[in-house]
Short mmCIF file of all heavy atoms in Angstrom, two decimals:
data_model
loop_
_atom_site.label_atom_id
_atom_site.label_comp_id
_atom_site.label_asym_id
_atom_site.label_seq_id
_atom_site.Cartn_x
_atom_site.Cartn_y
_atom_site.Cartn_z
N LYS A 67 -0.59 -9.20 11.32
CA LYS A 67 -0.93 -9.27 9.90
C LYS A 67 -1.82 -10.48 9.69
O LYS A 67 -1.59 -11.53 10.25
CB LYS A 67 0.33 -9.36 9.05
CG LYS A 67 1.16 -8.11 9.15
CD LYS A 67 2.31 -8.11 8.18
CE LYS A 67 3.13 -6.88 8.43
NZ LYS A 67 3.25 -6.04 7.32
N LYS A 68 -2.86 -10.28 8.88
CA LYS A 68 -3.82 -11.35 8.66
C LYS A 68 -4.30 -11.31 7.22
O LYS A 68 -4.55 -10.25 6.67
CB LYS A 68 -5.00 -11.15 9.62
CG LYS A 68 -6.01 -12.27 9.60
CD LYS A 68 -7.09 -12.01 10.62
CE LYS A 68 -6.59 -12.51 11.95
NZ LYS A 68 -7.62 -12.63 12.95
N GLN A 69 -4.41 -12.49 6.61
CA GLN A 69 -4.94 -12.60 5.25
C GLN A 69 -6.45 -12.45 5.30
O GLN A 69 -7.12 -13.14 6.07
CB GLN A 69 -4.58 -13.96 4.65
CG GLN A 69 -3.11 -14.18 4.44
CD GLN A 69 -2.59 -13.40 3.26
OE1 GLN A 69 -3.24 -13.28 2.24
NE2 GLN A 69 -1.40 -12.86 3.41
N MET A 70 -6.98 -11.54 4.50
CA MET A 70 -8.43 -11.34 4.44
C MET A 70 -8.86 -11.25 2.98
O MET A 70 -8.08 -10.83 2.13
CB MET A 70 -8.85 -10.10 5.21
CG MET A 70 -8.56 -10.20 6.70
SD MET A 70 -9.23 -8.84 7.63
CE MET A 70 -10.75 -9.55 8.18
N GLN A 71 -10.11 -11.63 2.74
CA GLN A 71 -10.65 -11.62 1.38
C GLN A 71 -11.63 -10.47 1.24
O GLN A 71 -12.50 -10.28 2.09
CB GLN A 71 -11.35 -12.95 1.12
CG GLN A 71 -11.90 -13.09 -0.27
CD GLN A 71 -12.58 -14.43 -0.46
OE1 GLN A 71 -13.09 -15.03 0.47
NE2 GLN A 71 -12.57 -14.90 -1.70
N TYR A 72 -11.47 -9.70 0.16
CA TYR A 72 -12.40 -8.60 -0.12
C TYR A 72 -13.69 -9.20 -0.65
O TYR A 72 -13.69 -10.00 -1.58
CB TYR A 72 -11.80 -7.62 -1.13
CG TYR A 72 -12.78 -6.60 -1.63
CD1 TYR A 72 -13.36 -5.69 -0.78
CD2 TYR A 72 -13.12 -6.54 -2.98
CE1 TYR A 72 -14.27 -4.74 -1.23
CE2 TYR A 72 -14.02 -5.62 -3.45
CZ TYR A 72 -14.59 -4.71 -2.57
OH TYR A 72 -15.49 -3.79 -3.03
N LEU A 73 -14.84 -8.78 -0.06
CA LEU A 73 -16.13 -9.31 -0.48
C LEU A 73 -16.91 -8.33 -1.35
O LEU A 73 -17.25 -8.63 -2.49
CB LEU A 73 -16.97 -9.69 0.74
CG LEU A 73 -16.41 -10.81 1.62
CD1 LEU A 73 -17.30 -11.05 2.82
CD2 LEU A 73 -16.21 -12.08 0.82
N TYR A 74 -17.21 -7.13 -0.80
CA TYR A 74 -18.04 -6.18 -1.53
C TYR A 74 -17.95 -4.80 -0.89
O TYR A 74 -17.42 -4.63 0.20
CB TYR A 74 -19.50 -6.64 -1.59
CG TYR A 74 -20.13 -6.85 -0.22
CD1 TYR A 74 -20.81 -5.80 0.42
CD2 TYR A 74 -20.05 -8.06 0.43
CE1 TYR A 74 -21.37 -5.98 1.67
CE2 TYR A 74 -20.62 -8.25 1.68
CZ TYR A 74 -21.27 -7.20 2.30
OH TYR A 74 -21.83 -7.38 3.54
N ASP A 75 -18.54 -3.81 -1.58
CA ASP A 75 -18.64 -2.44 -1.08
C ASP A 75 -20.05 -2.26 -0.56
O ASP A 75 -21.01 -2.40 -1.32
CB ASP A 75 -18.34 -1.46 -2.22
CG ASP A 75 -18.32 -0.01 -1.78
OD1 ASP A 75 -18.83 0.31 -0.68
OD2 ASP A 75 -17.79 0.83 -2.54
N ASP A 76 -20.20 -1.95 0.74
CA ASP A 76 -21.54 -1.82 1.33
C ASP A 76 -22.07 -0.38 1.31
O ASP A 76 -23.09 -0.09 1.92
CB ASP A 76 -21.58 -2.38 2.74
CG ASP A 76 -20.76 -1.58 3.74
OD1 ASP A 76 -20.13 -0.58 3.36
OD2 ASP A 76 -20.74 -1.96 4.93
N GLY A 77 -21.40 0.51 0.61
CA GLY A 77 -21.81 1.91 0.55
C GLY A 77 -21.12 2.78 1.58
O GLY A 77 -20.81 3.92 1.34
N MET A 78 -20.89 2.25 2.76
CA MET A 78 -20.20 2.97 3.84
C MET A 78 -18.71 2.62 3.85
O MET A 78 -17.89 3.40 4.32
CB MET A 78 -20.80 2.60 5.19
CG MET A 78 -22.27 2.95 5.31
SD MET A 78 -22.55 4.70 5.37
CE MET A 78 -21.97 5.05 7.00
N GLY A 79 -18.36 1.44 3.38
CA GLY A 79 -16.98 0.99 3.39
C GLY A 79 -16.83 -0.30 2.62
O GLY A 79 -17.78 -0.81 2.01
N LEU A 80 -15.63 -0.84 2.65
CA LEU A 80 -15.33 -2.09 1.97
C LEU A 80 -15.37 -3.22 3.00
O LEU A 80 -14.80 -3.10 4.08
CB LEU A 80 -13.95 -2.03 1.32
CG LEU A 80 -13.75 -0.88 0.34
CD1 LEU A 80 -12.35 -0.90 -0.22
CD2 LEU A 80 -14.76 -0.93 -0.78
N VAL A 81 -16.04 -4.31 2.66
CA VAL A 81 -16.21 -5.43 3.58
C VAL A 81 -15.19 -6.52 3.25
O VAL A 81 -15.09 -6.97 2.11
CB VAL A 81 -17.65 -5.99 3.52
CG1 VAL A 81 -17.81 -7.18 4.46
CG2 VAL A 81 -18.65 -4.90 3.86
#
Side-chain angles (χ1 to χ4, degrees):
K67 295 187 184 239
K68 186 177 276 194
Q69 294 286 320
M70 296 187 97
Q71 182 180 29
Y72 170 63
L73 297 178
Y74 59 90
D75 184 343
D76 68 359
M78 300 290 287
L80 304 179
V81 178

